[in-house]
Amino acid sequence: MKVIFLKCPDCYWLKRRLRYVKLCYLSLTFNSYSTYTELIFEPVITVVDFMSRWFGFMFVLLVSVLISYVVITYYVIVIPILLDQHSLIYAMITILYGHYLLIMIVFHYYKAVTTDPGQPPKEAADRAVTSVCKKCILPKPPRTHHCSVCQTCILKMDHHCPWINNCVGHFNHRYFISFCIFMWLGTFFVTTTTWSAFYDCFHVSTKLQGAKDWIGSLYSNPDFEVVSMQNASEKRSLMSHLVSDKYKNDGVFPLQSNLIDMCSGSSASFRTNVVFLWLLCMAVTAALGTLTVIQFRLISLGETSIEKLINDKEYKKARKLGSVYRNPYHLGFLRNWGTILQFKDAKSFLFNVVLPKVMPPIGDGLTWEDHLTANYKDQLHSTIASS
């Protein structure tokens, strides 16, 4: 008996289409830097991106409210203390320096929020591209990465910052790092100039003595019994009398005695604002200082936050192969900072960094000078100069 196989003329075409669809899916979802940890935390990252996208304005509003609160409290409480406790020259220099920091903070924060970080063109236009974005399906120039919050590719993307509700990219990187530096200087300035008021209002000496007595009782009393006053009002009243007598004997400024009375007495709003102001600025100083140190290291090495993750893996790969990997965009410490902040000498540093100034970044964000090109230019200039 003869078996007849029926051939479907469209089966081969269908198989080719299915293979093509499979190839497109694999090419769009392939990522050589993906790990199982990233896949596990993908839902968490999605939720964070959603929150950053829809509540970013609230973060900007919160920063604006906190800055306004610090400024108002400093005007109402701290400046009168400076004028009465210190000489007029010292107080005026401190006040002028504080206003300078405030101007720099507001200027750079506004520019970091409102400046577009930069997006690549829709077409390659005869420019070098490193890959094709698997989400935008568009060519990606060097150092360009896709932001899942902004849902677009960003030129020289560092990270998406919810506190500015914007990406940190090529066109606003200078404003962002300047804001971090001046904001840290500003909060550090407030914590140092309000320390004496915080020391008195928070009863630091009493709390330290209480902690010392408690630690001593751990060794002297097996039942961990701590002797304490019957209520907080008696404690504040006793401290007020002791401190007032001390100031009368030592002959200090009268306002300092009034400050102690306000902190130890019934002025709860004064005491609360001073304590909250100092704790807020201290917390921001510590947190923002950590971020600024990280950003300082990245800029010094000529890389962004995303590039650091990529470069770390490239360093490990090169080490296994017995080679050395070098970041192609690391042009040296001074040149890296000069490219970001746009200075070449002391004069340009004064006008472009120390003073507020609106400036476009160096380059278009599509092409970048690497260390090989920079070294070649330096050798060429030195050869021409010697000849």
Side-chain angles (χ1 to χ4, degrees):
M1 184 171 106
K2 191 173 183 182
V3 180
I4 300 176
F5 295 96
L6 297 178
K7 296 183 178 180
C8 178
D10 295 334
C11 290
Y12 180 71
W13 176 86
L14 181 61
K15 290 181 179 179
R16 290 187 58 186
R17 291 297 179 183
L18 292 176
R19 290 176 181 175
Y20 177 75
V21 172
K22 181 180 179 181
L23 179 62
C24 290
Y25 172 77
L26 294 176
S27 62
L28 293 176
T29 57
F30 175 77
N31 187 357
S32 59
Y33 297 102
S34 295
T35 61
Y36 291 105
T37 305
E38 294 175 355
L39 295 176
I40 294 173
F41 283 96
E42 185 68 25
V44 179
I45 297 174
T46 303
V47 173
V48 173
D49 292 343
F50 175 81
M51 298 293 291
S52 301
R53 185 181 306 116
W54 290 101
F55 296 97
F57 173 76
M58 299 302 296
F59 286 100
V60 176
L61 181 62
L62 178 61
V63 173
S64 303
V65 170
L66 292 178
I67 292 177
S68 302
Y69 169 79
V70 171
V71 173
I72 294 173
T73 307
Y74 201 88
Y75 268 101
V76 174
I77 295 177
V78 182
I79 290 183
I81 297 175
L82 290 174
L83 292 174
D84 284 293
Q85 285 189 353
H86 302 280
S87 64
L88 182 61
I89 297 178
Y90 176 85
M92 293 305 298
I93 293 176
T94 304
I95 294 172
L96 289 176
Y97 179 66
H99 282 82
Y100 164 75
L101 293 177
L102 178 61
I103 293 173
M104 298 298 288
I105 290 171
V106 173
F107 170 78
H108 287 104
Y109 185 70
Y110 174 78
K111 296 300 296 183
V113 172
T114 58
T115 303
D116 190 342
Q119 301 176 10
K122 302 300 182 182
E123 298 179 357
D126 298 331
R127 295 183 181 273
V129 294
T130 56
S131 61
V132 176
C133 179
K134 65 182 182 181
K135 295 183 179 180
C136 296
I137 320 297
L138 293 173
K140 290 170 55 176
R143 312 190 76 178
T144 299
H145 300 280
H146 186 87
C147 176
S148 56
V149 179
C150 299
Q151 296 182 340
T152 185
C153 287
I154 303 298
L155 296 175
K156 204 196 77 171
M157 177 182 174
D158 187 271
H159 68 286
H160 184 92
C161 180
W163 297 106
I164 65 173
N165 192 28
N166 199 2
C167 271
V168 179
H170 176 60
F171 287 91
N172 65 344
H173 198 175
R174 168 178 174 266
Y175 300 123
F176 175 77
I177 188 61
S178 297
F179 165 72
C180 290
I181 294 174
F182 284 104
M183 188 67 174
W184 184 87
L185 291 175
T187 54
F188 181 77
F189 167 80
V190 174
T191 54
T192 53
T193 53
T194 59
W195 166 249
S196 60
F198 171 78
Y199 185 90
D200 295 327
C201 289
F202 196 63
H203 309 319
V204 176
S205 59
T206 305
K207 288 180 171 57
L208 291 177
Q209 185 63 36
K212 182 179 178 181
D213 295 339
W214 181 79
I215 295 175
S217 67
L218 296 180
Y219 298 95
S220 60
N221 192 343
D223 297 329
F224 303 99
E225 295 181 358
V226 182
V227 178
S228 60
M229 293 187 177
Q230 294 181 359
N231 51 62
S233 61
E234 294 181 1
K235 184 177 180 181
R236 289 195 299 266
S237 177
L238 178 60
M239 180 184 175
S240 178
H241 289 299
L242 292 176
V243 174
S244 299
D245 294 339
K246 175 180 179 299
Y247 285 144
K248 289 177 182 178
N249 296 330
D250 295 343
V252 297
F253 294 98
L255 181 72
Q256 193 166 359
S257 177
N258 296 332
L259 176 62
I260 298 300
D261 294 336
M262 295 180 69
C263 289
S264 304
S266 59
S267 182
S269 60
F270 180 88
R271 182 172 60 254
T272 302
N273 281 285
V274 169
V275 172
F276 180 75
L277 174 67
W278 192 89
L279 292 178
L280 172 65
C281 292
M282 186 62 191
V284 175
T285 301
L288 188 60
T290 303
L291 174 62
T292 305
V293 169
I294 295 174
Q295 286 291 319
F296 187 91
R297 181 181 181 276
L298 292 175
I299 295 177
S300 300
L301 297 177
E303 58 187 7
T304 62
S305 300
I306 299 177
E307 290 173 348
K308 182 183 184 305
L309 301 177
I310 300 175
N311 291 338
D312 288 345
K313 296 183 178 182
E314 294 296 333
Y315 289 136
K316 294 179 180 179
K317 291 180 181 179
R319 193 181 300 112
K320 291 180 180 180
L321 298 175
S323 180
V324 177
Y325 175 79
R326 182 176 179 182
N327 177 23
Y329 305 112
H330 182 27
L331 306 178
F333 178 83
L334 290 178
R335 188 170 295 186
N336 290 338
W337 278 98
T339 303
I340 294 291
L341 300 180
Q342 303 181 41
F343 69 89
K344 294 182 180 180
D345 48 23
K347 182 179 179 181
S348 60
F349 183 85
L350 173 63
F351 286 98
N352 300 343
V353 180
V354 179
L355 299 178
K357 187 175 182 180
V358 178
M359 292 183 63
I362 299 176
D364 55 3
L366 301 176
T367 57
W368 297 92
E369 182 182 26
D370 54 25
H371 65 86
L372 294 177
T373 306
N375 292 336
Y376 174 76
K377 288 182 178 180
D378 292 340
Q379 294 177 2
L380 181 62
H381 291 323
S382 60
T383 303
I384 295 176
S386 61
S387 61

